[in-house]
Amino acid sequence: MLNLERLRTLDALARHGSVSGAAGGLHVTTSAVSQQMAKLEREVGQPLLARNGRGVRLTDAGRLLADHAARIISQVELAQADVEAQRGCAVGELRVGAFPTAMRGLLPRALTSLREGHPELRVLVREREPEESMAAVVRGDLDMALAIDWHNKRMPVPGELTRTHLLDDGVDIAVPAGHPLADRTGISLADFADDDWISWNEGQFCHEWLVFTLRGTGIEPRIRHIAEEHHTQLAFVEAGLGVCVTPRMGRGPVPPGVRLLPVCDTVRRHVYAVWRADAGRRPSIRAAVEALREAAAQVREAPVGPGAPVGPGVPARARP
């Protein structure tokens, strides 16, 4: 009889490609992973791992069993979803990954609603970039993720995931109070052809979007500073060191030396939730989607402006 937890360990090894990666994904120690694999090898009577330099690789038998393990785990998840659906109550644990502005501007409302309406449901939230969250949902490390893409640059969603749109989030350009355009009521991205920019980390989806979008307007962006913290970006703007894109959802207080200019171009982010298609019958997933939709409706109706930030006004990171 094959042990399910040991099959989960093998599946994690196949997905992550290393003992340390599998341990991180399973939230256990590397020693625990090694012990589980040693027991599984004794159960099947042949080696499943082989040395590969300083790491390990799956043997032919290991890859064969890992393929079966992935299908078995998926079937177990379907069974769990059906049992939960039969009971009809949102109970147990729901693991959610979300990008920072959603953590501030959307999730607090949704989590409060879930706590009041489904007291037996435990929601665990992890702050992650959208690409990381979606990959974690595919792997089974998370049950749901909040993700974004842009009106002119879509993020691919793996075929095994289902998604639902929650809201469109507008953005403004933050400029120093003494900027020549600071008194304008509306601007175009092309107006900033000669400005320095403050952006997110290279490789992040929103940094790539900014470069892609500016180049699309004929601007070769001069990105002079990289900062993840919301107030760090705005502090740089206030000091006259550049301009930056500021999403409205989850926006915290704006320093007095910064002006927010609405963009006349159609610049917006699409915010959506994703989950595994085979888990869609779970009441906990359905309850979370409903709570997120209600929270998104409140965000859309909230006033927007320098003195009226959208969402809980908690100064924090502006990474999308």
Side-chain angles (χ1 to χ4, degrees):
M1 180 68 69
L2 296 173
N3 180 280
L4 180 59
E5 290 308 309
R6 289 166 200 152
L7 290 178
R8 288 189 187 278
T9 303
L10 176 62
D11 178 64
L13 266 169
R15 289 186 282 103
H16 292 281
S18 68
V19 172
S20 59
L26 295 169
H27 307 291
V28 298
T29 64
T30 54
S31 176
V33 170
S34 298
Q35 291 174 17
Q36 288 284 60
M37 289 304 302
K39 292 177 181 178
L40 185 58
E41 286 181 328
R42 289 196 294 271
E43 286 178 351
V44 299
Q46 55 185 311
L48 301 175
L49 297 178
R51 290 285 180 188
N52 184 28
R54 294 184 178 181
V56 296
R57 62 173 177 83
L58 295 180
T59 64
D60 290 345
R63 287 194 296 271
L64 177 64
L65 186 56
D67 289 341
H68 283 289
R71 291 192 292 271
I72 290 168
I73 292 167
S74 177
Q75 196 62 40
V76 168
E77 290 174 352
L78 277 172
Q80 290 173 332
D82 283 344
V83 169
E84 190 177 329
Q86 180 69 25
R87 182 176 177 180
C89 299
V91 298
E93 184 176 278
L94 186 71
R95 301 159 298 168
V96 180
F99 56 96
T101 49
M103 290 281 285
R104 295 194 302 276
L106 192 60
L107 270 179
R109 292 183 174 97
L111 294 178
T112 299
S113 175
L114 283 172
R115 183 178 59 190
E116 293 172 352
H118 306 278
E120 294 185 64
L121 179 64
R122 300 185 307 278
V123 183
L124 304 179
V125 178
R126 300 288 182 267
E127 183 177 302
R128 294 186 180 181
E129 290 300 316
E131 304 98 316
E132 297 176 57
S133 288
M134 282 201 288
V137 174
V138 171
R139 294 193 305 266
D141 298 336
L142 292 174
D143 300 303
M144 175 179 284
L146 296 183
I148 54 168
D149 57 25
W150 294 81
H151 70 288
N152 60 339
K153 190 173 179 65
R154 306 308 296 267
M155 180 180 290
V157 176
E160 57 264 57
L161 300 185
T162 296
R163 77 174 179 179
T164 186
H165 176 264
L166 297 174
L167 76 152
D168 288 344
D169 183 29
V171 303
D172 300 310
I173 305 298
V175 304
H179 192 281
L181 303 178
D183 294 329
R184 293 268 294 271
T185 56
I187 48 84
S188 170
L189 290 176
D191 294 329
F192 298 95
D194 298 324
D195 282 273
D196 292 337
W197 285 85
I198 302 157
S199 182
W200 304 276
N201 277 336
E202 294 182 18
Q204 288 185 4
F205 185 72
C206 288
H207 174 89
E208 302 304 321
W209 164 81
L210 180 61
V211 173
F212 171 82
T213 302
L214 291 175
R215 286 175 177 167
T217 62
I219 301 173
E220 183 57 35
R222 298 203 310 257
I223 296 175
R224 301 302 191 205
H225 306 288
I226 299 293
E228 293 187 2
E229 294 292 333
H230 175 58
H231 271 213
T232 303
Q233 290 189 355
L234 293 181
F236 273 53
V237 171
E238 187 176 33
L241 299 174
V243 301
C244 72
V245 173
T246 303
R248 293 176 180 173
M249 183 177 68
R251 179 184 294 161
V254 177
V258 173
R259 299 292 180 267
L260 300 181
L261 307 180
V263 184
C264 296
D265 311 327
T266 305
V267 180
R268 63 185 182 277
R269 308 187 304 172
H270 307 296
V271 181
Y272 51 92
V274 300
W275 60 91
R276 288 182 63 94
D278 55 16
R281 287 172 287 187
R282 291 178 57 186
S284 56
I285 295 288
R286 296 200 299 269
V289 170
E290 182 60 28
L292 286 166
R293 285 174 175 160
E294 292 174 358
Q298 294 174 25
V299 169
R300 287 194 297 268
E301 295 169 1
V304 176
V310 175
V314 180
R317 291 186 291 182
R319 274 191 304 141

